[in-house]
Amino acid sequence: MEHEDKSESLQNLEEFHVSEEYGFVLPDPLTELPDYYAPWMNVAANLPHLIEGHRLLREVAKMPLLSTQYLRGHRQLRLARLALGFITMGYVWQGGGRQTAKILPRALAVPYCTISELLDLPPILVYADCVLANWKKRDPCGYVELRDHLCQTPRCFVYSGDTATLHPLEVMHLSSLRNLDILFSFPGGDSSKGFFLVSLLVEAAAAAGLKVPSPNEVAKGLTHSWTKCCLQTPLSLLYGNLAFCPPAKEAPGMEAQFDSPPMPVMVPAGEPDSRTAGSDLGHSTVSFLRKSDPCVLDTQECFSSVPSKAIPIIVNAILHHGLCSLETALQDVTLSICKMREAFKLIHECVNPEVFFRSLRIYLSGWKDNFLMPEGLVYEGVWDSPKQFFGGSAAQSSTLQCFDVLLGIQHSAAQGFSAEYLGCMRDYMPTAHRAFIQTLASGPSLRQFVLATGDAGLQAAFNKCVSALVDLRSYHIQIATKYITIPAGRCQAEQQQLRGCVHKGTSVLLERGTGGTGFVCFLRAIRDTTRKAQLTEQEATVPTH
């Protein structure tokens, strides 16, 4: 009963500030605050120029101490926090690693801490600020929908024997950024903007793991990409496992209607069939399974009457032993992770490694476990003693931790900082996102359920999902090497030539990420732990009861 309640609560994604279209990304963030807050917005909007012109100190000194009482609702609070967060990071790091600010002025510290307390977030720029809430349309009247490029790419299954291999039909391209821009930025020009936008697209790609297009969406052709694919792709490939539930995959009490080889049942339009439950697609309909046990969810229910969201579908399938719907939902999560990796590749076209390392990276750094600010930062008018907070990091991504919890990936204390640090990073996520992850964690174990079924196809689908996450994390290591390790090596070599020694701050930045961790060891540790979550043949053959 307790797990049933958790499942029902996961159905309402809005309660957790999770968008069906954009996942954890804040949909259509506000771009303006009431005129009263113009001093904040003007400084934040011109931040790169103020920093490069060495005028930020003077502008912050002129800022009045504004009240937060005129901010209304969550979205205004998010925008105000975003603006103050960017100003704070610029103020602290405007001198680079050579000269850091030790005290945040009262006019900045007091409202920033007040808003952060209301949102239950630390007073420092976090991933949820600079990535999830830092975007807008270039043309407010223009068309842009992140999921057009990232989430509504149809699933294509190529059958080989009894296995189905998933192939994304599209790859990421720069047109995904055509009508997108960021609200605030740091020095670094287009590379700075590109870094935040690519990170945004990576997060938006994950929405497919939270929301799955329903059959009605396919039938109506909500996007040009869907329509084009419907016209050019055989239906059996277009929607893959949505209509295909082979008898071997069905739970007891389910009546299958498909013969081998597994293909969707096509019923000509106008010929009524009591077994048919589908959508009109041209001149035929897809026949789904008939449910003989009302307590068991079938495929059509999971994509129609039940809100069509992959993670809630997975939880429901576990509770009701819906093996077919579970396997399909796992394939959707796998696809979303693959799309995240595809989106990540855009970084090579949008971000210059030298610019990232020498200009942008310092502004994402925090003042905890940071040699450049060993004592932390004094928030004037709020705390008398310095406070320490981690900087922005991908470890603060609600999406990645959500997938970890879903797949039962346990980052142990034996890995040193990994488990403790990742747990700490949840405090840097929006409260509602934390609640979503915790609700998922307190539900039934997907990994144990898949093992208990003994179903080879389901176990393969689970392992493919884990493999996709391993690949994503391996790719992250490659990116970190290109954008941090290699530029830092060049920087060290330059300093050795000029001074005969390496500046200590550069050495620290090489070893640690913006979140304060030894990033190479950290990324490898979580990648290796993820790989260990795969089901082995030995586990699959050992009875679980």
Side-chain angles (χ1 to χ4, degrees):
M1 180 64 70
E2 180 181 351
H3 287 330
E4 296 253 4
D5 293 339
K6 299 292 183 184
S7 173
E8 289 180 6
S9 65
L10 284 175
Q11 301 295 328
N12 184 12
L13 293 184
E14 290 183 2
E15 178 183 332
F16 298 102
H17 293 181
V18 180
S19 164
E20 292 187 22
E21 296 183 5
Y22 305 131
F24 290 106
V25 174
L26 182 66
D28 298 318
L30 297 180
T31 59
E32 296 180 358
L33 290 177
D35 291 343
Y36 175 78
Y37 299 104
W40 298 351
M41 298 298 285
N42 290 338
V43 173
N46 293 289
L47 195 61
H49 302 297
L50 294 175
I51 293 174
E52 293 167 347
H54 306 286
R55 294 184 288 121
L56 181 58
L57 278 174
R58 185 166 65 249
E59 291 300 318
V60 171
K62 293 191 299 185
M63 282 174 47
L65 178 57
L66 301 179
S67 170
T68 60
Q69 65 177 325
Y70 304 112
L71 295 171
R72 295 287 183 266
H74 179 79
R75 293 160 70 81
Q76 283 195 5
L77 288 172
R78 290 287 293 272
L79 178 56
R81 181 185 145 82
L82 177 66
L84 294 175
F86 266 83
I87 298 172
T88 295
M89 303 307 273
Y91 187 90
V92 170
W93 297 113
Q94 60 190 322
R98 296 177 300 277
Q99 187 178 1
T100 58
K102 308 300 181 185
I103 300 175
L104 196 65
R106 182 186 303 268
L108 187 51
V110 172
Y112 191 30
C113 289
T114 300
I115 294 170
S116 296
E117 184 177 5
L118 289 172
L119 292 172
D120 195 18
L121 286 167
I124 191 170
L125 192 72
V126 300
Y127 188 87
D129 299 320
C130 61
V131 173
L132 303 185
N134 186 30
W135 69 279
K136 65 178 180 179
K137 296 178 182 180
R138 289 181 183 272
D139 176 5
C141 299
Y143 179 79
V144 62
E145 196 161 344
L146 299 180
R147 68 175 182 174
D148 277 354
H149 301 282
L150 302 170
C151 302
Q152 286 202 349
T153 301
R155 289 185 303 281
C156 177
F157 292 89
V158 177
Y159 288 97
S160 175
D162 295 327
T163 63
T165 305
L166 181 146
H167 296 277
L169 296 181
E170 298 177 2
V171 295
M172 295 297 132
H173 46 82
L174 288 175
S175 64
S176 304
L177 306 174
R178 185 172 300 153
N179 197 33
L180 286 177
D181 202 354
I182 57 177
L183 300 177
F184 307 118
S185 187
F186 293 118
D190 290 340
S191 286
S192 180
K193 291 183 178 182
F195 175 79
F196 292 123
L197 285 178
V198 170
S199 300
L200 171 72
L201 292 178
V202 171
E203 286 291 324
L210 300 170
K211 196 262 187 187
V212 182
S214 68
N216 288 336
E217 288 177 321
V218 182
K220 294 176 182 177
L222 291 182
T223 65
H224 294 297
S225 59
W226 269 108
T227 305
K228 181 178 179 181
C229 187
C230 288
L231 294 174
Q232 297 179 354
T233 309
L235 186 61
S236 59
L237 297 182
L238 171 65
Y239 226 67
N241 263 11
L242 177 61
F244 157 48
C245 291
K249 298 291 189 296
E250 290 312 302
M254 296 289 286
E255 179 180 303
Q257 300 172 0
F258 303 112
D259 297 323
S260 183
M263 290 294 290
V265 173
M266 304 301 294
V267 181
E271 294 186 17
D273 189 299
S274 61
R275 301 170 302 170
T276 301
S279 300
D280 188 8
L281 296 176
H283 300 291
S284 58
T285 57
V286 181
S287 179
F288 292 94
L289 298 176
R290 181 177 62 192
K291 187 177 67 172
S292 57
D293 183 348
C295 296
V296 179
L297 293 177
D298 62 25
T299 306
Q300 184 203 1
E301 257 191 303
C302 287
F303 286 85
S304 304
S305 59
V306 176
S308 50
K309 306 156 191 137
I311 288 180
I313 287 173
I314 287 173
V315 176
N316 269 312
I318 293 172
L319 294 174
H320 301 290
H321 210 72
L323 305 191
C324 179
S325 57
L326 176 56
E327 185 171 338
T328 300
L330 277 173
Q331 290 165 345
D332 283 301
V333 174
T334 300
L335 176 58
S336 73
I337 298 173
C338 291
K339 298 293 280 183
M340 290 174 72
R341 187 174 183 273
E342 287 298 317
F344 210 171
K345 292 179 181 179
L346 285 176
I347 196 169
H348 300 291
E349 301 175 66
C350 299
V351 184
N352 181 290
E354 294 294 327
V355 173
F356 172 81
F357 182 79
R358 296 173 187 263
S359 297
L360 173 61
R361 186 169 179 255
I362 188 71
Y363 295 101
L364 303 175
S365 301
W367 30 93
K368 181 171 184 175
D369 293 345
N370 189 337
F371 170 80
L372 300 176
M373 296 185 68
E375 295 181 357
L377 179 68
V378 174
Y379 292 77
E380 189 178 52
V382 183
W383 297 296
D384 294 331
S385 58
K387 296 296 179 181
Q388 298 185 342
F389 299 104
F390 290 113
S393 165
Q396 296 166 3
S397 167
S398 304
T399 298
L400 292 175
Q401 290 218 26
C402 180
F403 287 149
D404 276 346
V405 169
L406 176 69
L407 298 172
I409 297 168
Q410 303 287 337
H411 299 283
S412 66
Q415 297 168 309
F417 52 78
S418 297
E420 181 181 355
Y421 178 74
L422 286 172
C424 179
M425 287 301 96
R426 290 194 189 178
D427 293 334
Y428 289 69
M429 300 175 186
T431 307
H433 294 181
R434 276 180 253 155
F436 182 85
I437 294 172
Q438 185 55 45
T439 301
L440 184 62
S442 61
S445 168
L446 168 64
R447 193 175 191 277
Q448 291 303 315
F449 177 82
V450 172
L451 274 174
T453 64
D455 186 284
L458 194 56
Q459 291 169 0
F462 179 90
N463 280 345
K464 285 182 180 179
C465 199
V466 174
S467 293
L469 193 54
V470 170
D471 290 343
L472 176 63
R473 285 177 162 154
S474 293
Y475 195 70
H476 191 183
I477 295 172
Q478 295 177 34
I479 296 299
T481 300
K482 176 178 178 178
Y483 283 82
I484 301 176
T485 305
I486 295 175
R490 292 196 190 103
C491 193
Q492 284 183 328
E494 290 172 6
Q495 289 189 1
Q496 285 177 330
Q497 285 183 340
L498 293 173
R499 305 184 183 94
C501 63
V502 177
H503 187 264
K504 195 169 184 180
T506 301
S507 177
V508 172
L509 287 176
L510 171 60
E511 296 171 0
R512 293 190 174 272
T514 55
T517 64
F519 71 92
V520 174
C521 294
F522 173 75
L523 293 177
R524 286 176 178 166
I526 60 174
R527 188 269 314 274
D528 294 344
T529 305
T530 304
R531 182 180 287 119
K532 291 177 183 176
Q534 286 198 325
L535 302 175
T536 63
E537 291 185 9
Q538 184 177 6
E539 285 181 297
T541 55
V542 175
T544 58
H545 53 275

